[in-house]
Amino acid sequence: MEIIIQPDSQQASQIAARIVARLVREKPHAVLGFATGNTPLQLYRNLAVVHGDTGLDFSDVTSFNLDEYIGIPRAHPSSFHSYMWAHLFSHINMPKERINIPDGMAGDIPAACRKYEQAIRTAGGIDIQILGLGTNGHIGFNEPSSSLSSRTRIKTLTDDSRLTAGPGFGGQENVPNHVITMGLGTIMDAKMCLLLAFGKKKAAAVARMVEGPVTAMVPGSVLQMHPRTVLILDKDAAAELKMADYYNWVRDHKPDWQKY
Ligand code: GLP
C-alpha cells in the first residue's frame, strides 16, 4: 500500500484527480470504477473542472459503479444513479452507454450480478477503482464478515450503514435492507485501487485497514494483498496510523518519475 497523507481533503482530492486524469489522457479507453458517498465528491468536482478547462476527453471511457440499493428506482434522489449523474456524469462527456451502475430494480438480481461481472471482464477489467471507506471498514457495501473473495452480489446492510444512509431516505427505517455490491474479489481484480478517506471519524477504520491484520471483519484490509493500492488521506483520517512518519518520509523522497 502506498499511503499519501495530505493536510486536507482538498489537496488529497487534487492528487486523486491528477492520477485519474493522467490515466484518461494516456489511455482514452480507460475503465474506471466509481464510488459514491461524501468522500469522492471533491474528486468528481475536480474531474469536471479538468474536463471543462482542458477538454479532458471521457468519450471513450467506460465506468462501473461499486454498488446500488435494491428496490429503489433509479430516479430516487438517494439512488447511486442519481448521485453519479448529479455529481459527475452531467458534467463530463461520458456517453450513457459506457456507464454501468448495478440495477437495483432488476427482476433477477443474481443474473444481473453475473452480467455485471461479465461486462467488467468484457471491458478489459477496471484500470482504477476509486474507493471510500465505511467507518466499520467496509469498501463498496462489503460489510464486515464479507468473503475476501466475494463477487458482485446481494448484501444485507448493517444497522450502522443504514443509520449513515438514513438522512437520504427520511430516516433509517426507510433505508433498503439490501444492496448490490461488487465483491471484494471483484475490487481486487482492478489494476489499481485508489482509496480516499477523510476526517476523524475514519481514523480508526484507516488504522485497522492499513496496520491491522487482513480480516473479513475489516473488509478494506483485503487491499493489503493488492499489488497496487494508493491511499490518499487527510491528516485527520491518518491520525491513528502508527507509522505515519515513515509514510510521510516515503512520500517526500519519491523519485521524480513516481510523483503524482
Ligand atoms: C457507503 C458506500 C461506500 C462509501 C462509504 C463511505 O457505504 N457504499 O462506497 O465508501 O459509504 O461513505 P462516505 O464517503 O460518505 O463517508
Side-chain angles (χ1 to χ4, degrees), residues 176-188:
N177 283 314
H178 296 105
V179 294
I180 298 178
T181 181
M182 276 189 206
L184 295 171
T186 320
I187 293 169
M188 289 292 284

Side-chain angles (χ1 to χ4, degrees), residues 16 18-24 30-34 43 62 64 125-131 190-195 228:
R18 280 207 293 279
I19 293 172
V20 175
R22 183 193 286 182
L23 171 76
V24 172
V31 180
L32 298 177
F34 288 129
L43 161 62
T62 299
F64 291 90
I126 293 170
D127 290 299
I128 295 183
Q129 176 64 56
I130 294 157
L131 296 165
K191 293 171 190 103
M192 175 184 182
C193 290
L194 182 57
L195 185 143
R228 194 156 175 241

Side-chain angles (χ1 to χ4, degrees), residues 35-40 66-67 80 132-134 138 140-141 202:
T36 51
N38 289 317
T39 310
L66 280 170
D67 43 17
F80 291 158
L133 182 68
H138 74 212
F141 262 138
K202 299 291 172 77

Side-chain angles (χ1 to χ4, degrees), residues 42-90:
Q42 294 176 87
L43 161 62
Y44 296 155
R45 267 199 295 276
N46 292 343
L47 289 176
V49 168
V50 180
H51 169 70
D53 290 355
T54 72
L56 183 68
D57 185 10
F58 288 87
S59 60
D60 288 325
V61 169
T62 299
S63 73
F64 291 90
N65 260 75
L66 280 170
D67 43 17
E68 181 58 286
Y69 295 104
I70 289 180
I72 292 293
R74 285 174 186 206
H76 187 286
S78 289
S79 76
F80 291 158
H81 275 80
S82 297
Y83 170 105
M84 287 308 297
W85 283 93
H87 299 296
L88 186 65
F89 297 143
S90 307

Side-chain angles (χ1 to χ4, degrees), residues 87-105:
H87 299 296
L88 186 65
F89 297 143
S90 307
H91 311 288
I92 60 174
N93 66 332
M94 270 192 66
K96 228 177 167 165
E97 54 285 3
R98 289 186 173 277
I99 292 169
N100 299 279
I101 303 177
D103 180 5
M105 296 298 280

Side-chain angles (χ1 to χ4, degrees), residues 66-243:
L66 280 170
D67 43 17
E68 181 58 286
Y69 295 104
I70 289 180
I72 292 293
R74 285 174 186 206
H76 187 286
S78 289
S79 76
F80 291 158
H81 275 80
S82 297
Y83 170 105
M84 287 308 297
W85 283 93
H87 299 296
L88 186 65
F89 297 143
S90 307
H91 311 288
I92 60 174
N93 66 332
M94 270 192 66
K96 228 177 167 165
E97 54 285 3
R98 289 186 173 277
I99 292 169
N100 299 279
I101 303 177
D103 180 5
M105 296 298 280
D108 183 343
I109 300 274
C113 293
R114 284 192 297 274
K115 218 171 123 197
Y116 204 68
E117 289 273 335
Q118 184 55 50
I120 296 173
R121 279 194 294 274
T122 305
I126 293 170
D127 290 299
I128 295 183
Q129 176 64 56
I130 294 157
L131 296 165
L133 182 68
T135 49
N136 64 4
H138 74 212
I139 52 175
F141 262 138
N142 292 282
E143 300 284 32
S145 80
S146 287
S147 158
L148 299 183
S149 58
S150 48
R151 311 303 308 187
T152 303
R153 69 207 184 294
I154 301 180
K155 277 302 283 182
T156 305
L157 292 181
T158 56
D159 279 349
D160 219 34
S161 294
R162 295 179 63 243
L163 181 68
T164 307
F169 291 90
Q172 180 182 348
E173 62 284 6
N174 304 320
V175 178
N177 283 314
H178 296 105
V179 294
I180 298 178
T181 181
M182 276 189 206
L184 295 171
T186 320
I187 293 169
M188 289 292 284
D189 284 346
K191 293 171 190 103
M192 175 184 182
C193 290
L194 182 57
L195 185 143
L196 306 177
F198 307 138
K200 275 204 175 63
K201 65 174 198 277
K202 299 291 172 77
V206 166
R208 292 172 74 204
M209 173 181 69
V210 177
E211 296 178 342
V214 175
T215 166
M217 296 316 287
V218 184
S221 67
V222 74
L223 295 172
Q224 293 179 28
M225 310 281 288
H226 192 281
R228 194 156 175 241
T229 287
V230 177
L231 251 73
I232 311 186
L233 311 171
D234 68 1
K235 63 173 184 330
D236 289 341
E240 293 185 29
L241 287 172
K242 291 193 177 65
M243 287 185 63

